[in-house]
Every structure is written in C-alpha cells, then in structure tokens.
Amino acid sequence: MAFAAPLWLFGLLALALPIALHLYGRRPGRTIKLGTLRDIPTTPVARAFAPRIEERWRLLLRCAMLACVALALATPLFPSHRASGAAVVAGATIRDTDTGRQLLDSLQQAGADWVELGEREDTWSGLLRAAQATRGPLAVVGTGTAGELGQVRPSLANAVTWHVVAPSSAPIDRASHRRVVVLNGNGRSDVTRRLDAAIKAVAGEAAFTATVDWNPADESAALAPLQSQDLAIVVGSKSEPVSPARVLRLTEQEILSSDLPFRVASAWLAPEQRAGLTRLPVPAAMALPRHEATAPVLRQTAQRVSNWLFALGALLLLAERLLAYASRSRSILA
Amino acid sequence: MLLTPRLLASTRDLTLIARRIADGVGFGAHRSRAPGPGLEFTQYRPYQPGDDLRRLDWKLAARSNRFFIRESERESSVPLRLLVDSTGSMAYAEDGVSLLDAARMLAAGLALIADRQGDAIGLIAVSDAAAAMVPARREQAQLARVLHALERMQAHGRWPAWNEIESAAATGGRGITVLLTDAAEVKDEIFAAIRRLAALRHEVIVVHLAGRTLLEFAWAGAIRFEELESGRTVDVDASLARDRARAATQQRFELFERAVRALGADYQRVLLDEPLDGALRGWLRLRTRRA
C-alpha cells in the first residue's frame, strides 16, 4: 500500500499519548493502611473499579480514532479496480515478429492484460490508459524507436518495466564492437550510474564503452574519431556537436526519468542491428519511485478513502464519548 | 494550649509529654482510693537533717520546741495496669500521629498521675511477640521503667490468645486496668479479653482510640485500603462507599461501647485530633463524681 503523504504516518506516534495516559491513570490513587477492613462495603468495590474495563474499551476507541485520522491525513492509495492486475502496453505491429509474439504470449499467460496502442497513439498515452485501469505493474513492449514516445510524459504510481523487441529477425553481429562514448560534463554519481545501467541494459555485451579526452569547449573534436555505427551520448550539452557517429543528447532530467533505456535503445539500435535483443528489463535502480506522483483517477479514489477514514474517526470519537457518559452516569446512579 | 497528639508528637520526650498531660488533668482531680503521702496521718518521727521541711509539724514544734516529721502511709495500694494494644493495627496514623503514639502518650500521662498518687504501675504491651511487660510495683524507678518500655513499644503482630495476657494481668492482685486499644478485631478477641478481665474483678477502663478521618470516612476517590495486620487490600471508590462505611464504623463502635459498658467497665473514646488532657480530665471527673 502506498500513501500520497506518507509523512503523516508519523502521526501514528500520537497513539502513544492515550496509551501513556491510560497506563499512568491506571495506578490506584493511594494506599491507606487501616486497622480493619470490616467496615468497608464490598459491593461498591466491584463498581468502583469496574470502569477500568470500560476504560480499556475507551482506550481502544481513542487509539483507533487517532489511527484513522493519521491514516486519513496520509491519504492511502488503493487500487481503484484490480489490485494486482498487470498490463502490457504494446503496439499492434509487435506481434509481427516472432520474439515479440513470444514475449506478449508469455506475459499474457502470466496474467497480464494487453492494452493495445491505437494507430497514432504514443506509448505515454497508452501507459496512462493502462494506469487508469490498474494499479499493478505495467510492462511496455516496443521497438525502441524514438517515434513511439510522445512529448508529454505522465507521472504514474505504477511500476513500469520496459521491453525492447527488434522489428526484424536479422541476427546481430556481436563480433563488431561498437563504441559508446559518454561525454559527461556533469559528473554526478547518480546520473552516471543510471546512464551506465541503461547502456548495459540496452547494449549489453555488444557495447564497448570508451572514454576519450574531452574538451568541453569543442565536443566535435572529441567525437571526430568515432565511426558511423558508434554512439555518442552527450550529457547536459547545449551545443550540437558534429560527428560521424550518432549523437544522443540528454539532459539531467531525461537521465533521471524512467524512459532512459528507451531513449538509449532507440539511439543505439540501428534498424539493421536490432535483432536478437528481446527483453531488456529495467534495472531495479531505475524503477519509478512510487510516491513520485499519482494519476488523477487514483488521487480521487484516495480522497474518497480519506474521507471515509475521517468519518470513521468521528464515529469512533462519538462512541468513545458515549461510553464515557454511560460509565459516568452509571457511577452517579450507584 | 491544646495538648493534641499532633502537638505532643513534636517532642519525643515521653516524660515531658506525661507531665504536660498530668498537669493538664490536674493533680487531685482523681480521688484515689489509696491516698498519697500526707493525707492519712499515722505517726510522728523525729526530724533528721535532710528531711523535707514541708513535712515538719510546725504546730508541734511551736508547742514543744521539738521537731517531728508527720509520717503517713497509704492504707492500701491499688495497682494501675496499663494494657496497651500494640498489635499491627495500632500503626494506623492520621496526620503523622499513629494510634499507638496517642496510646503511648495517654499511658504515660496516666502512669505519671498514678505515680504522683503513689500507686503501683504496671505495663503490658499486648501483641503476639513477647510482651514488653513491667510488673505492677511501687518503686522509685517504676515510672522511668514504664516510660522507657512505652517508648520502645512498636506496633506489630496480632492480638494474642487470652492465656498470654492472663499471666501478666492476673499477677499483683486486683486493681485498675486501663486498656488502650483501637478495637480493630478480627472476630471479638478484644472484647473477649475485656470480659475476662472484668471476670477477674479488675476495674476495667477501656480507652478506645480512633481517628476522626476513619470515623467520618472522610476519604474520596479511588483508594486502595490495606489491612495492617493481614496485608489484605481492597480497592474502593471511597466517595461511593462513604455512607455505608461510616454507618458500619459508627455502628461497630457503638456496639463495642455498649458491650463494654454492659460488663460494668468504663469506656472512653479518644479521637486522634482531640486534646488528650481534656479527654482524660473529663473522664476522670466523671469517675470522681461516681465514686
């Protein structure tokens, strides 16, 4: 279960307050030593300390009320329709290849639904559609071409895995090592780590990552020795370097976003060399953070759950007061 | 100044306390059956240096120019036995003064009064442990002995079987027996002892010590009451239990008083916040009138 505002869960610490008060208040007021207990009536004895049991119930009610309010403030995100459903987002052309068909069949056998992309629909809108249907993990199966991704990326609470399927079944030439050159002017370790992971995931053993001496003022000079099949990844550059190799320019945001493997894959895979790369799972480090954002639909559901929790808390408070009133009036009657 | 137990407890000097109480009661208020020296003339004795000049017969000296001392002797000694209940229940305290403290002070005051009248004093601490007993005697150091024993007395144990009291109470002949107790009985063992004492033809005076808070049951809220001698506890909402507890206590006290009086014994209830000399004085006056 996820929470939209998990910091409010610290509100559960407030439970300690009524418990502490209960434990403190439970101690009998004082002890008086008497010569004889003969004169002390036995009937009010039971009644005098009977509220202790009712107090235990009231403590439970109080704790439950506080927990309700804390949970309501934390806004739990419940799956709107199916709790654990998984969906596959894929274009219709994926089924044209053997590997694509096998992948989709295996995913569907595993219980995943298939959300098919429309004629002009991009992957993002397909993902959004899938996310509205389920809170379970989503899988994207694509060819890794740049045109599949749309312009506006939605924020999702679902876990997304990416699969790249080559459109043709031509064998890959693993012998010819292509080079990936990363020009990283940023040097942030998390950026580098994600980038490395993405390259590993996309190119695997076929990649040969090279480091070149690099003068940030003249990126073209650094990239000149590259050949046409090589890939240069330039991080955070504003200029447009001239190079015989394909150049992928990435901003920091793009590196930290979840579709990085997709971008790397679409730049890396030349159409004639896409074959053989069937499944490219996203490394765990690259999975979307769950609390990053919620789809509007999910937020509405969460709001409804919160409101119910608030109402339940109010009911519990009412019950607690009623119980207190009942026990007091009973002791007055006695 | 009111000689309440609380005030008297500010000093630990029992002799001083006894003197304050005895002075407060007033010497001579109690007409003794055994008058002290100087009341009943018996004989003359020639004056010797060192004799108290107050006892010199001045009229005789004026007549005969010879110095004689008037000598007198008590016709009989009526021993005063102080039976102090020192069982665990006497540790019940209000405002820091326990019933045993009050009993100690009263006993000391009575002992001093009796000593001034030349009566024999005995002390028996009634408890299950070996009773700190001072046999009734007429001696110079007897008062000091009694006061010392009183000072060392502590509240512990339970009311003993009658034969343990009897051996101490029956020695030394009949006399006045003052029992200072809180009447906290398990069954009716204290009353049984009083009945036996009365049967021994002692003149029994029961001083019933009690706390005012106990008598009024002036507690409130949830309270755990613990029985001193047994350690049993009972949790009670004192506010709810007050009416019944107060009625029960007062009824028990009344029944006890009526039963004691029915035996021909004297009964005096002393509350912990009352001045001790006042309580004693009123009661001694009553006895004097009756006598």
Side-chain angles (χ1 to χ4, degrees):
Chain A
M1 179 157 46
F3 293 93
L7 274 181
W8 276 108
L9 287 180
F10 282 108
L12 288 176
L13 289 178
L15 288 183
L17 190 71
I19 293 172
L21 283 176
H22 180 77
L23 290 179
Y24 181 76
R26 262 186 59 163
R27 315 224 176 288
R30 54 206 171 118
T31 302
I32 286 176
K33 298 186 170 183
L34 282 186
T36 175
L37 297 181
R38 285 171 80 178
D39 304 333
I40 295 176
T42 45
T43 28
V45 172
R47 202 165 277 155
F49 286 82
R52 297 235 173 278
I53 296 158
E54 280 162 36
E55 254 166 43
R56 221 166 290 160
W57 280 106
R58 283 171 58 195
L59 172 74
L60 263 177
L61 286 175
R62 272 181 233 142
C63 286
M65 184 201 67
L66 281 177
C68 272
V69 171
L71 287 177
L73 287 171
T75 325
L77 302 173
F78 287 103
S80 50
H81 299 300
R82 278 161 301 174
S84 56
V88 186
V89 181
T93 54
I94 295 294
R95 282 204 175 274
D96 295 345
T97 63
D98 288 342
T99 48
R101 206 162 37 244
Q102 281 167 13
L103 180 59
L104 282 177
D105 286 347
S106 67
L107 285 172
Q108 275 178 293
Q109 271 167 16
D113 286 329
W114 186 23
V115 177
E116 195 180 316
L117 294 178
E119 190 73 23
R120 300 214 148 261
E121 196 177 22
D122 60 37
T123 308
W124 293 138
S125 50
L127 269 176
L128 190 57
R129 221 152 31 93
Q132 284 171 358
T134 178
R135 276 266 304 145
L138 299 178
V140 179
V141 181
T143 56
T145 49
E148 283 180 354
L149 297 172
Q151 291 302 310
V152 186
R153 193 176 76 89
S155 45
L156 304 170
N158 307 55
V160 181
T161 44
W162 300 81
H163 305 270
V164 179
V165 175
S168 77
S169 53
I172 186 170
D173 180 13
R174 284 180 183 274
S176 71
H177 283 293
R178 294 164 58 207
R179 285 177 293 179
V180 181
V181 174
V182 179
L183 299 185
N184 189 357
N186 179 298
R188 265 177 61 183
S189 66
D190 55 336
V191 169
T192 314
R193 207 168 50 240
R194 284 176 72 95
L195 205 49
D196 283 348
I199 294 167
K200 277 271 172 348
V202 170
E205 293 305 311
F208 173 76
T209 312
T211 324
V212 294
D213 290 330
W214 175 47
N215 176 13
D218 189 3
E219 288 160 337
S220 300
L223 300 177
L226 294 180
Q227 289 154 26
S228 61
Q229 73 267 34
D230 296 333
L231 171 64
I233 298 176
V234 182
V235 181
S237 170
K238 293 211 168 60
S239 65
E240 195 70 59
V242 183
S243 168
R246 267 167 296 154
V247 176
L248 174 62
R249 274 199 317 128
L250 291 172
T251 64
E252 213 172 288
Q253 248 84 47
E254 285 167 332
I255 290 173
L256 295 177
S257 75
S258 66
D259 54 310
L260 177 67
F262 230 51
R263 287 183 186 275
V264 174
S266 37
W268 164 253
L269 294 173
E272 68 275 13
Q273 284 186 316
R274 277 175 184 161
L277 298 175
T278 51
R279 295 191 64 193
L280 297 172
V282 177
M286 303 195 60
L288 265 181
R290 290 194 156 216
H291 59 270
E292 191 174 282
T294 45
V297 179
L298 290 175
R299 195 166 289 150
Q300 275 174 22
T301 324
Q303 208 56 55
R304 243 193 334 265
V305 172
S306 279
N307 289 344
W308 278 113
L309 279 172
F310 274 127
L312 183 61
L315 269 179
L316 287 170
L317 181 66
L318 191 69
E320 197 268 343
R321 288 330 302 163
L322 272 176
L323 206 57
Y325 179 75
S327 71
R328 197 176 310 145
S329 58
R330 197 173 313 162
S331 64
I332 287 169
L333 283 176
Chain B
M1 191 157 47
L2 293 173
L3 294 177
T4 58
R6 187 163 167 65
L7 177 74
L8 291 172
S10 54
T11 171
R12 296 244 66 90
D13 186 353
L14 205 55
T15 318
L16 183 66
I17 293 172
R19 203 166 295 150
R20 295 303 306 256
I21 294 176
D23 290 349
V25 169
F27 188 56
H30 166 49
R31 201 193 304 150
S32 173
R33 275 201 206 162
L39 292 183
E40 202 88 10
F41 170 76
T42 39
Q43 61 172 357
Y44 284 118
R45 176 171 65 72
Y47 169 78
Q48 286 173 333
D51 275 339
D52 190 352
L53 282 177
R54 283 181 297 185
R55 289 168 62 193
L56 199 69
D57 194 329
W58 291 107
K59 283 183 188 164
L60 191 66
R63 265 205 314 270
S64 61
N65 210 22
R66 277 178 301 181
F67 298 101
F68 278 96
I69 295 289
R70 280 177 74 94
E71 279 241 303
S72 59
E73 209 167 72
R74 273 156 292 196
E75 42 188 37
S76 65
S77 168
V78 179
L80 171 73
R81 276 191 208 79
L82 297 164
L83 256 75
V84 180
D85 180 353
S86 60
T87 56
S89 62
M90 290 291 280
Y92 171 77
E94 281 178 17
D95 282 339
V97 182
S98 71
L99 293 175
L100 187 69
D101 289 337
R104 219 195 299 264
M105 294 167 191
L106 273 175
L110 286 169
L112 184 62
I113 292 170
D115 188 65
R116 283 180 180 169
Q117 295 183 164
D119 289 339
I121 321 160
L123 175 70
I124 302 164
V126 185
S127 171
D128 64 357
M133 193 189 65
V134 182
R137 276 199 207 120
R138 264 171 62 197
E139 281 178 16
Q140 196 92 71
Q142 185 71 359
L143 179 68
R145 221 174 280 149
V146 167
L147 292 184
H148 181 63
L150 276 173
E151 258 167 44
R152 288 195 0 204
M153 201 174 280
Q154 285 189 340
H156 64 93
R158 292 165 186 254
W159 191 267
W162 164 246
N163 52 7
E164 296 199 23
I165 307 172
E166 185 181 25
S167 53
T171 52
R174 298 201 298 266
I176 300 175
T177 300
V178 179
L179 172 63
L180 298 117
T181 181
D182 62 346
E185 302 168 293
V186 178
K187 230 177 124 215
D188 61 343
E189 65 274 10
I190 295 179
F191 177 71
I194 295 169
R195 202 175 54 216
R196 303 270 194 149
L197 286 171
L200 286 174
R201 305 196 58 192
H202 284 228
E203 187 183 348
V204 180
I205 300 160
V206 176
V207 179
H208 185 178
L209 295 148
R212 188 172 296 280
T213 317
L214 173 76
L215 194 62
E216 305 284 332
F217 206 79
W219 291 290
I223 289 181
R224 166 164 294 170
F225 288 103
E226 185 182 331
E227 200 169 67
L228 277 157
E229 287 176 29
S230 67
R232 273 196 311 137
T233 60
V234 149
D235 292 334
V236 179
D237 188 330
S239 318
L240 297 184
R242 179 172 308 131
D243 289 344
R244 277 198 261 177
R246 185 163 49 195
T249 306
Q250 285 172 358
Q251 191 190 8
R252 186 165 63 88
F253 282 13
E254 269 167 36
L255 284 177
F256 184 73
E257 174 176 0
R258 214 176 298 156
V260 166
R261 288 198 192 282
L263 293 175
D266 250 344
Y267 175 94
Q268 174 70 20
R269 191 181 300 167
V270 177
L271 295 183
L272 273 182
D273 59 344
E274 288 176 345
L276 291 180
D277 55 342
L280 221 51
R281 193 190 306 132
W283 158 58
L284 290 177
R285 287 239 170 86
L286 196 69
R287 286 178 56 78
T288 315
R289 249 206 318 278
R290 223 172 6 193

